[in-house]
Amino acid sequence: MPTDIPTDLDDEIAVLLRRAEQRYTTGRRRLVAALHNGEGPLTLGQIMAAEPTLPQSSVYRNLTILEEVGIVTRIVTNGDFARYELAENLTEHHHHLICTNCGDVADFSLSGRVESTLDRALAESARTAGFTPTAHRLDLLGTCADCG
Amino acid sequence: MPTDIPTDLDDEIAVLLRRAEQRYTTGRRRLVAALHNGEGPLTLGQIMAAEPTLPQSSVYRNLTILEEVGIVTRIVTNGDFARYELAENLTEHHHHLICTNCGDVADFSLSGRVESTLDRALAESARTAGFTPTAHRLDLLGTCADCG
DNA sequence: ACCAATAATGAGAATCATTTCCAAAAGTCC
DNA sequence: GGACTTTTGGAAATGATTCTCATTATTGGT
Ligand SMILES: [Zn+2]
Ligand SMILES: [Zn+2]
Ligand SMILES: [Zn+2]
Ligand SMILES: [Zn+2]
């Protein structure tokens, strides 16, 4: 399963890169494929396990570039190392289940009703603090099914 | 303003440390005071600015120990460096306004009603994923008043 | 297809927040 | 005080991430 990206996602990414005067090279496409195939945000180790022939320095460099362009989001859950996933523009708004035992991270979503309630409350809190919000980030901490 | 901790907080911390067979030394008390006096979670630099005579290695070591004992929470908002605050056991449940421009972090709270709605929804999501939740973490990302 | 001109690659070296070492200092208990 | 255990602090080590730079790939014009 080398390059397994839906055509429309691939096109969207191509547009974003071209707009930023960046090229959509094979290495970057393989990186995007690894992130797309992964369940939840991936560590560098997990990316390299999926694409072992991609050099580490290129993966790091391209993750940084893809993040600047708005294709990738970098996540730091706990000190050890960062995780990367496709940006919400390209996927869907979601949150993370973080296992405090094994460190694994999985995605989950809330209903539109709860998200609305939350957004309203957050907007109000922001207003009283003179803060201009652009996004929220919500994680659930606990123990995953495997570590049960 | 060297050692400015409310007596009951100080006592609570003393109990937690004794329970863990750790001593409540002067250095640890000064560290706790710096965290208590700070508005929002502090970086190591901010802690050292508040207590310049505390050696860096001792601050790091004691932050780790205080975190293990449940007195301090370590927060990583974005790759650069970690921030530390007193654990919610010793303060109150709250969330963070994170300025994506200057990196500053401030506290805020939601109403009990919103927190309940959220907790119910999160519990439901956790259940369907076989995940055992212990806490949630919610940040609002955007631009702070200073960066307006 | 060929040729510049420009951008991306990859292997290793450098960075820097954080951790670890270990001999000296401080606290504890009798 | 003396023996024992924990903590301290300065310096060295660690390790994820970033930077360097010579080589390679890609683009656009001819
Ligand atoms: Zn787990
Ligand atoms: Zn949400
Ligand atoms: Zn700001
Ligand atoms: Zn909450």
Side-chain angles (χ1 to χ4, degrees), chain A residues 53-108:
Chain A
T53 63
L54 242 36
Q56 176 180 50
S57 65
S58 296
V59 173
Y60 269 121
R61 176 160 20 72
N62 283 325
L63 284 171
T64 304
I65 289 167
L66 292 173
E67 190 188 18
E68 285 168 1
V69 176
I71 294 168
V72 161
T73 302
R74 175 198 173 112
I75 296 168
V76 188
T77 55
N78 274 310
D80 299 0
F81 23 73
R83 289 172 179 268
Y84 303 87
E85 67 180 3
L86 290 180
E88 290 197 341
N89 298 23
L90 303 171
T91 57
E92 281 162 5
H93 178 65
H94 65 276
H95 299 291
H96 294 128
L97 298 170
I98 301 176
C99 180
T100 51
N101 184 241
C102 70
D104 198 49
V105 180
D107 293 348
F108 78 97

Side-chain angles (χ1 to χ4, degrees), chain A:
Chain A
M1 63 211 83
T3 307
D4 183 25
I5 316 173
T7 310
D8 47 343
L9 175 59
D10 199 66
D11 291 346
E12 232 179 317
I13 290 171
V15 169
L16 286 170
L17 281 171
R18 201 171 315 118
R19 198 174 286 163
E21 295 181 338
Q22 291 283 341
R23 295 173 186 170
Y24 199 2
T25 62
T26 310
R28 291 175 182 178
R29 186 172 270 110
R30 286 209 281 157
L31 180 47
V32 167
L35 294 175
H36 177 257
N37 291 353
E39 326 234 329
L42 303 179
T43 63
L44 194 92
Q46 292 173 316
I47 294 170
M48 302 273 288
E51 288 289 348
T53 63
L54 242 36
Q56 176 180 50
S57 65
S58 296
V59 173
Y60 269 121
R61 176 160 20 72
N62 283 325
L63 284 171
T64 304
I65 289 167
L66 292 173
E67 190 188 18
E68 285 168 1
V69 176
I71 294 168
V72 161
T73 302
R74 175 198 173 112
I75 296 168
V76 188
T77 55
N78 274 310
D80 299 0
F81 23 73
R83 289 172 179 268
Y84 303 87
E85 67 180 3
L86 290 180
E88 290 197 341
N89 298 23
L90 303 171
T91 57
E92 281 162 5
H93 178 65
H94 65 276
H95 299 291
H96 294 128
L97 298 170
I98 301 176
C99 180
T100 51
N101 184 241
C102 70
D104 198 49
V105 180
D107 293 348
F108 78 97
S109 298
L110 294 173
S111 71
R113 193 183 61 75
V114 175
E115 287 283 354
S116 299
T117 303
L118 192 54
D119 273 333
R120 262 192 303 277
L122 290 174
E124 176 55 24
S125 293
R127 190 174 312 122
T128 65
F131 190 89
T132 309
T134 57
H136 70 253
R137 194 162 61 184
L138 173 61
D139 307 317
L140 195 51
L141 308 175
T143 318
C144 76
D146 289 351
C147 295

Side-chain angles (χ1 to χ4, degrees), chain B:
Chain B
M1 63 209 83
T3 305
D4 184 24
I5 316 174
T7 310
D8 46 342
L9 175 59
D10 199 66
D11 291 347
E12 234 179 315
I13 289 171
V15 168
L16 287 170
L17 281 171
R18 202 173 311 118
R19 197 175 284 163
E21 295 180 337
Q22 293 282 341
R23 295 174 187 168
Y24 199 3
T25 61
T26 309
R28 291 176 183 177
R29 186 172 272 108
R30 286 209 281 157
L31 180 48
V32 167
L35 294 175
H36 177 256
N37 290 354
E39 326 233 331
L42 303 180
T43 63
L44 194 92
Q46 292 172 317
I47 294 170
M48 302 273 288
E51 287 289 348
T53 62
L54 242 37
Q56 170 174 324
S57 65
S58 296
V59 172
Y60 270 121
R61 176 160 19 71
N62 283 325
L63 283 170
T64 304
I65 290 168
L66 292 174
E67 190 187 18
E68 286 168 1
V69 176
I71 294 168
V72 161
T73 302
R74 175 198 172 110
I75 295 168
V76 188
T77 55
N78 275 311
D80 298 1
F81 23 72
R83 288 171 180 269
Y84 303 86
E85 66 181 1
L86 291 181
E88 290 198 342
N89 298 24
L90 303 172
T91 56
E92 281 162 4
H93 178 63
H94 64 276
H95 298 291
H96 294 128
L97 299 169
I98 301 177
C99 180
T100 51
N101 184 240
C102 69
D104 198 50
V105 180
D107 294 348
F108 78 98
S109 299
L110 293 173
S111 71
R113 193 183 62 75
V114 175
E115 288 284 354
S116 300
T117 303
L118 192 54
D119 273 335
R120 264 192 302 277
L122 291 175
E124 176 55 24
S125 293
R127 189 175 313 121
T128 65
F131 189 90
T132 309
T134 57
H136 69 253
R137 194 163 63 183
L138 172 61
D139 307 317
L140 195 50
L141 308 175
T143 317
C144 76
D146 288 350
C147 295

